Amino acid sequence: TYNGDFYRIYVTNYTQNTSGEIIGADIKYQTPFYGKDEALKPSDTSLSVSSDGGQAAVVFENNSIIPFTVKTDMGWVRAMKSSTLDYSVLTNAIIFYIDPATTTESETATVTATTYYDKSTTITITRLGVAPMLSIPDDAANKEIDANATEYRLPITTNLDFNNLTVKSSADWATVELVDGSSRTAAIANSIRWIGNEPATHSRANTATVRTYYALVKVAANVNSAERNASITVSSKDGKLSAKHSLSQKGATLSVTSNGKEVNDGDIIDIQDTETSLNIKVESSVDGITISSDKSWAEVTTDDEKSYTIKVAGNQTPDDRSAKISIKAKNSDLAMSFTLKQAGGTLSIKDLDGSTTYYVDRDTHTYNYVIEGSLPYSVKSNADWCSIYQSGKNLAVTVS
């Protein structure tokens, strides 16, 4: 549309003249049409420009066109909606015109692109002063990551030549290399085909000095429980300028549940005296988890790489007993243990308290009982007129 808003229109009815020609239509429309409710994903979120200023651009990497508005907080940056597509209204990029610097200090502008669902995305543009400088943006100076292996780009703001830079890491588990992304940035700028509703021209793109340098940091997985720290230092080769980035990686994680309930290191789980089983689920950021028991009556079997079953035999002694269950990770200090405490064995006859006396007449009588508990037992009668029949835990006593 003429003002940049999107409309969605469909016809509900056509109007015809007496000759059957369509001369009008009834329509319904939706305005404004906002597109998908998701944040914009720019190709770069931090750009560095020399003191000469110039032209730069970012392209949004969303899978569909999302209408947006754009504004900048500094007058020396002019930001315009633009497009890399066949039609100017399909805005999927922003082009920036940056005026030359007039001071020796570097300056930073924030360009904010906001969707019609009020989701904002910011791009920072640093215009370098005339003096040599090297820095890492404040919002990238510190980084905290989880224990998993990863890699990320650390933006570098400088007006030094790429060949005059060096980078090092304080830890062997965090390797780093310098990357010159300037050609990529220039290619993105040259991919712009529309600026507003006008065809794009790239006369300034050839003279712009946009430096897009970054350090590619590759971090190995932390297989141990302790947090670890490293620093990444970017320097000029003469050593006069440097900037430091601090990296903190969390320790490896291990969590255990038993029959759906969380289990912590050192916990004691009380279990009954009879035969039973416990389902154990282990979640960890490292591989090679093993689980073992120090008692044969608590046998651990593996269901899959995260699930285990502990088969507990009935306690055939009257005393309580304990088994230690240990969980460890291979090639790691990650470990925990908990204790199974099994109650002493019991023996009883269901519904009898042990002191019941029956008085019967001369007729034949049969009484049925169920034996309960985990202790071994034998059943006998001290009279031949009182016979016993036993089947498992079921007991029949016949008085002749």
Side-chain angles (χ1 to χ4, degrees):
T1 64
Y2 72 93
N3 63 356
D5 289 336
F6 282 84
Y7 289 71
R8 182 159 59 179
I9 299 173
Y10 66 94
V11 177
T12 60
N13 184 50
Y14 289 103
T15 302
Q16 297 177 324
N17 60 18
T18 57
S19 300
E21 298 172 321
I22 296 175
I23 60 174
D26 296 326
I27 65 170
K28 288 187 176 182
Y29 65 92
Q30 177 187 7
T31 180
F33 178 60
Y34 289 175
K36 288 187 176 181
D37 184 9
E38 62 182 37
L40 295 166
K41 302 172 184 176
S43 53
D44 284 291
T45 58
S46 178
L47 299 174
S48 178
V49 184
S50 75
S51 59
D52 296 329
Q55 177 181 305
V58 296
V59 173
F60 296 112
E61 299 174 342
N62 303 75
N63 292 326
S64 63
I65 298 298
I66 299 177
F68 64 95
T69 60
V70 61
K71 64 179 181 178
T72 175
D73 65 348
M74 300 297 287
W76 50 266
V77 175
R78 297 181 301 284
M80 297 185 64
K81 294 190 289 185
S82 54
S83 175
T84 64
L85 304 174
D86 292 335
Y87 300 96
S88 62
V89 296
L90 302 178
T91 52
N92 68 335
I94 302 175
I95 193 162
F96 310 99
Y97 295 106
I98 300 116
D99 295 333
T102 58
T103 67
T104 59
E105 300 297 326
S106 297
E107 297 177 275
T108 298
T110 300
V111 178
T112 304
T114 305
T115 71
Y116 290 173
Y117 287 100
D118 208 31
K119 285 185 166 62
S120 295
T121 300
T122 59
I123 300 103
T124 59
I125 299 177
T126 300
R127 183 182 63 182
L128 307 179
V130 294
M133 62 85 58
L134 171 64
S135 68
I136 292 171
D138 290 341
D139 59 357
N142 300 286
K143 190 174 185 66
E144 183 176 301
I145 59 175
D146 61 25
N148 297 316
T150 188
E151 65 177 54
Y152 61 91
R153 294 189 300 180
L154 175 63
I156 300 169
T157 301
T158 185
N159 57 2
L160 297 176
D161 185 82
F162 180 77
N163 294 324
N164 194 26
L165 298 176
T166 183
V167 65
K168 66 178 180 179
S169 169
S170 65
D172 56 4
W173 50 266
T175 60
V176 60
E177 62 177 305
L178 283 171
V179 177
D180 186 352
S182 299
S183 59
R184 172 177 171 271
T185 304
I188 290 174
N190 287 317
S191 71
I192 299 297
R193 299 174 62 182
W194 300 92
I195 302 174
N197 291 321
E198 300 297 326
T201 60
H202 298 284
S203 59
R204 297 192 67 192
N206 296 325
T207 60
T209 309
V210 180
R211 302 176 186 271
T212 307
Y213 303 156
Y214 60 87
L216 181 62
V217 184
K218 297 181 179 181
V219 185
N222 188 357
V223 299
N224 293 316
S225 58
E227 180 182 290
R228 59 186 183 182
N229 299 282
S231 60
I232 308 298
T233 305
V234 183
S235 307
S236 60
K237 287 189 175 179
D238 61 11
K240 292 181 179 180
L241 298 174
S242 67
K244 184 173 288 188
H245 165 74
S246 297
L247 168 63
S248 176
Q249 187 180 33
K250 295 181 179 179
T253 58
L254 175 66
S255 64
V256 178
T257 56
S258 172
N259 291 352
K261 295 182 179 180
E262 184 179 0
V263 179
N264 297 308
D265 188 34
D267 279 359
I268 297 176
I269 300 176
D270 292 315
I271 55 176
Q272 60 189 5
D273 62 304
T274 54
E275 179 180 316
T276 188
S277 64
L278 286 81
N279 296 318
I280 303 297
K281 190 171 183 64
V282 179
E283 297 284 350
S284 179
S285 59
V286 299
D287 297 325
I289 298 294
T290 60
I291 178 170
S292 61
S293 168
D294 67 347
K295 296 294 190 298
S296 60
W297 53 264
E299 179 187 5
V300 179
T301 59
T302 302
D303 302 327
D304 55 44
E305 62 179 7
K306 293 183 177 180
S307 300
Y308 305 83
T309 298
I310 303 177
K311 297 179 180 179
V312 181
N315 190 352
Q316 297 189 352
T317 72
D319 300 319
D320 293 351
R321 61 182 181 179
S322 298
K324 183 178 180 181
I325 307 300
S326 300
I327 301 171
K328 297 180 179 180
K330 186 178 180 181
N331 301 323
S332 168
D333 66 359
L334 202 62
M336 68 163 289
S337 65
F338 61 92
T339 299
L340 298 181
K341 184 179 179 182
Q342 187 179 35
T346 60
L347 186 63
S348 63
I349 296 178
K350 187 176 181 180
D351 299 329
L352 293 184
D353 60 9
S355 62
T356 302
T357 301
Y358 290 94
Y359 295 94
V360 299
D361 57 25
R362 62 187 304 276
D363 296 330
T364 300
H365 297 270
T366 298
Y367 300 92
N368 295 304
Y369 305 100
V370 176
I371 300 172
E372 297 179 325
S374 58
L375 292 176
Y377 60 87
S378 62
V379 183
K380 63 182 179 178
S381 170
N382 66 350
D384 57 5
W385 50 266
C386 182
S387 59
I388 296 170
Y389 174 76
Q390 182 183 352
S391 176
K393 291 183 177 293
N394 295 312
L395 180 67
V397 177
T398 301
V399 179
S400 63

